[in-house]
Amino acid sequence: MSFCSFFGGEVYKDHFKPGVYVCSKCDHQLFTSRSKYEHSSPWPAFTETVREDSVSKHEERPGAYKVRCGKCGNGLGHEFVNDGPAKGVSRF
């Protein structure tokens, strides 16, 4: 399953079949379906990555990080601190 680009529309927001989400540009493994959760934003959200180097994060403003593929740098969205299914869990 590829993590879709913003311009292509998000087709995996409500997709919960078992599998691994990969970068749409380089197929680098990002997230597993086990770490996916339901939420109100238009993009899929995850609580953890496949590996420590699956993504890179850079703070854009306090509490908001730009998330990119750890291999090719493709933009994947944002992580918001203290936003997620449980307090202290971040969303990608």
Side-chain angles (χ1 to χ4, degrees):
M1 293 174 262
S2 292
F3 195 91
C4 295
S5 68
F6 178 77
F7 298 108
E10 184 45 67
V11 297
Y12 290 113
K13 179 191 183 301
D14 297 317
H15 181 87
F16 286 91
K17 291 183 182 176
V20 175
Y21 291 77
V22 300
C23 176
S24 63
K25 287 192 176 182
C26 73
D27 289 330
H28 187 61
Q29 291 186 346
L30 304 170
F31 312 99
T32 68
S33 56
R34 290 178 309 203
S35 68
K36 190 169 191 254
Y37 66 93
E38 291 186 51
H39 59 91
S40 60
S41 84
W43 296 279
F46 304 88
T47 57
E48 61 187 347
T49 59
V50 170
R51 294 186 308 266
E52 193 172 315
D53 68 346
S54 291
V55 301
S56 65
K57 298 182 244 182
H58 303 283
E59 188 173 32
E60 285 192 332
R61 61 183 185 278
Y65 293 84
K66 178 68 178 174
V67 180
R68 297 186 178 279
C69 172
K71 184 176 180 182
C72 74
N74 184 30
L76 303 174
H78 290 83
E79 173 183 354
F80 300 100
V81 177
N82 295 324
D83 182 23
K87 187 174 181 178
V89 176
S90 300
R91 181 183 74 203
F92 296 98

